Amino acid sequence: MAEQGKGKKPAPGKRSGNQPKRPTASRAPERARPGATPAKAGRAKTPAFDVDSDLDKSGLAEFFAPVAGFGVTMSTLFRPVVTEQYPFEKAPTAPRYHGRHQLNRHPDGLEKCIGCELCAWACPADAIYVEAGNNTPEAQYSPGERYGKVYQINYLRCIFCGLCIEACPTRALTMTNDYELAGTTREKMIFEKDTLLAPLRSGMLAAPHPMVAGLSDGDYYRGDVSGPTTEQVAWVKERRPEDESLSAAGAAATRAAKGGKE
Amino acid sequence: MTATTNSSSSAVAPVEEITLTIDGLDVSVPKGTLVIRAAETVGIQIPRFCDHPLLKPAGACRQCLVDIATPDREGNLRPMPKPQASCTIEATPGMVVNTQHTSAVAEKAQRGQIEFLLVNHPLDCPVCDKGGECPLQNQAMSNGSATSRFVDIKRTFPKPIKISTQILLDRDRCILCQRCTRFSAEIAGDPFIDLQGRGGGAPGGHGHGLPAQQIGRFDEAILEYTPSGDQGPVESERTGDVVGPYGQAGVLSSVAGSIGGALEDTSGRPFASYFSGNTIQICPVGALTSAAYRFRSRPFDLVSTASIAEHDACGSAIRIDHRRGVVLRRLAGDDPAVNEEWITDKDRFAFAWQTSSDVLTAPLVRDEETGELVPTSWSEAIGLAADGLRRAGDGAGAAALPGGRLTLEDAYAWSKFTRTVLGTNDIDFRARVHSAEEADFLANRVAGSGLDVTFGDLERAPRVLLVGLEPEEEAGTVFLRLRKGMLAGRVQVTTIAPLATRGSTKLRAELVRTAPGEEPSVLDALAGVTGTPEHLADLRAALAEPGTVVLAGERLAGVPGALSALDRLVSAAGARFAWVPRRAGDRGAVEVGLLPGLLPGGRPTAEAEARVDVASVWGVSELPAAPGRDLTGILDAATAGEIDALVVGGIDLEDLPSPAQAEVALAAAGFVVQLEVRRSAVTQHADIVLPIAPTTHKSGTFLNWEGRPRPFGQVFTTSALTDARVLGMLADAVGVDLGTRTLEDIHRELAEFDGWEGPRTAAPAVEATPVPALDAGQVRLATWRLMLDSGRGQDGEPHLAGTAYRPVALLSPATAATLGLAEGDRVRVTGPDGDIVLPVLPTPMGDDVVWLPQHSPGSSVHRTLGATAGAAVRLTAVDAEVAR
């Protein structure tokens, strides 16, 4: 790869740009490449893989043939290095690279996943397993009736085709650019909700907690929720006073409430 | 449906055929056929939602519009001015029908109708339970427009509405086809939901003061009804374990005021129905869902297996839907000869018992040192069991209690095992109140009688007499068939019972009010053995008419002389007779001889010829001739040490006439081998426990009460074994080849027992014991089991349990008044062993009778009272005691 292109990623265009040089510069290597000979051999009506096909070369060309290959080496010496120092320097992916999945949250911290299993159904590799649970007034994880209680993606099976993302009716499942998916055991390659679920951003309130009062699940999907309300914060404070997300969420809720008044 | 012929006799009169033209095809159908069904006969599918072949026509959804032209008097074809609903119009001679295939008008009408239906129908198919098996989805694809022109906000409602703990309603999805309300009113007779309100309503609720037309219970919020007469919407009460889309708890469908205790279910709602689950299945959209299945899976997830319901003796066809090795739901199968398309809620929802945590997976053996049951290998368990049985055979002998839930094949293996391996006739399948009289009656009337009275006969018989049978509680499908015949004006039901229950009221049954224990005298009076009192004279004459069917329940065994009197009545009236037990395996058990005096095929044990016959099929030199003991006899003998070993099948001690006595007997028995699916009260007394496959893990045949074989297939691949296989292994270990390795082996042997021509067991002639007089303050106990109660088959299904009747004690108003009890006050019913306290519901019935549910939460009659039906019990008012 490195001898062919200058860029880090060998684009098809680059490859064809090198080709005009080949007839002269890489004559000798071609001799060792049987795949390149048949066209010419066919024209000459000689059998393929004829090792004597270079006999019609001029004497000078034949003289330099053994070192002609170094031309490629020499020219490459002055090109930028394409080797990625991967574990030490991480190269950014394309923005829409299909990496590890993520289960997103609404701005108030409720999960977007409703446990409908359409992702599991869309999956051509049968890599996704979902088990839904009932939201109850005391333990509401997502807007609406159901949430994904168990969510597993088997990255030994996943082919990163993204059909699950297309299937998701709530945009709960998206793909990140994280490609570092390796593990030492098969068990570790089955990612569960603890790794798949998006971490709480600052100002989000950890589920479970009730929905924003007066809004329906439809309002959530339309993006009418911008963050936790003071009611939700109070609800969590009463039940889980030690919750770590409370202080930031409380501040955000108070700010939003003030902003609403102004 | 719309048949006008009065077919009081079962002879089928030839029906006039008429010919019409549908899409250019000539179609001949019987007169009275609806156009939509005439089209079906030639393969023309007209889209429909409200139409259902078993319900009356409604024309509610308007989806089946077709162009119709009929000839006038001169024979000129006159087209109707507008498209007509083909589900409500009868085919007439010469009619010309053009469906959507040939008429642009019909096609446009149907397309427009689908568009109308979809205006307010949410597009939540991806997450809807019905998506994938939804008539609306399918027909919107086949007969609708691909795109919607509707751009406004769809109408929404709070949801889900909890009609009962099990049935949930999403009003958004409802298209008002009224299949559910029509089923409830017509088929089940429990109109627990109905149409309310008028018009389309407005987005967000009460835009113009007229709430939309909706399905629901009596609902204050919808009808704007408040007890004080105030107008204005009332916020529905919300409850529980499910949240709606607005984040609140699900809406509890409300009701104004109390409507009487007996009609309440255990969750405090008005009692819905034992058949409410059918409304979910016939809903053409996903508006009705069950709490047990809602959002659990999708139709295309599921693998379906046809099966037979194991909860009662009707043998209803069901469909078991499962995925990843777990049963997710059960639906009614379609069997016109048995259950048509309906099943009871128990058959539909009670399946969690097969996967409950107490299911046995490995053989257990009691550790000699610790006395604990420890899991072990099959070979060790079978070896130890065989040793124990061999020791018992050398000693006082062994006996078998197989229980009444076996398949025909398993029951046959029990019968053969007991006779050839245990070498005894001590076997009795009846894990309930029983008598020797009953055994004789069953051997005489039921065993080997084949298929006689059928479900279809129940629908056509001019008169059906129920004795000791409450069909709605004990055999739901029988109830539905009787009700269908009654509504068609063909069947008159008469019931001999202590009170008119809700079920017999729905059958419009004639009640011969009979206190428990007095059945023999009433039956004898009807048979003309004793003088017939005036009020029974008409009934006696009616019973003598041809075609009368007598149905007897298993409870009659508890009344000495009742079955003898019934036998005399059936003979005297020349009526047809059927025995309707409660358990799925009861009829099969009688056929294969799981009774002390009975061998397979109705052969009496006492007949030497019969024993030789059976011995030759079984390949043994001789069979035990000594008469065997029945359940009580076996338990008594075990207590007295006359039996060394007991082999116990699937019996629940709570069903036995005396659970306490049974526990004593099991404890006293030297060696107990249990063959069970789940740990039970017997397990703690068992020395060896051998796990048996639940019905989903095996195939077999149930014989329903008709005597109709109901074979079912295996749902899951498993290594679990049937009774027949385990008994075969046990027999091998003892050194006998039972020959019950495969179902084919068993069927081959069973076929050899057909057609016994020899003498049969004589009909019982037990004298009725005079009903003992009651002391002051005593009343007689009437009791039977409700369909939904504390039975172990309903374990693990809280949503279903919430729809059961709230346990109450039924008293006559006079008795209640004497005790100073009003409705809802609590009464203490005291029996020999203990007392039961339940709320009172005054009901028209005899003054000297109290009725209790036999085995419901808080009312386990056999265990707590130590009494059975007919016993004298004492009543006291609980609140009066407190005052004192």
Side-chain angles (χ1 to χ4, degrees), chain A residues 114-118 121 129-130 132 134-137 140 144-146 169 211 215-217, chain B residues 126-127 159-160 170 240-247 249 294-296 298 300-301 323-324:
Chain A
I114 54 170
C116 73
E117 300 182 37
L118 285 180
W121 260 98
Y129 174 84
V130 185
N134 272 337
N135 281 322
T136 63
Q140 179 148 21
E145 287 176 53
R146 303 269 285 173
M211 294 161 69
L215 294 188
S216 72
D217 50 351
Chain B
V127 293
K159 66 175 190 176
D170 286 20
D241 46 355
V242 183
V243 282
Y246 302 99
R294 186 178 171 85
F295 297 137
R296 293 298 186 281
R298 300 222 168 66
F300 38 86
D301 273 341
R323 72 165 181 180
R324 296 187 198 130

Side-chain angles (χ1 to χ4, degrees), chain A residues 13-34:
Chain A
K14 287 250 171 71
R15 206 189 160 117
S16 59
N18 279 346
Q19 275 169 355
K21 287 182 183 171
R22 274 197 181 162
T24 51
S26 55
R27 189 102 218 163
E30 255 188 56
R31 195 170 58 167
R33 282 210 229 158

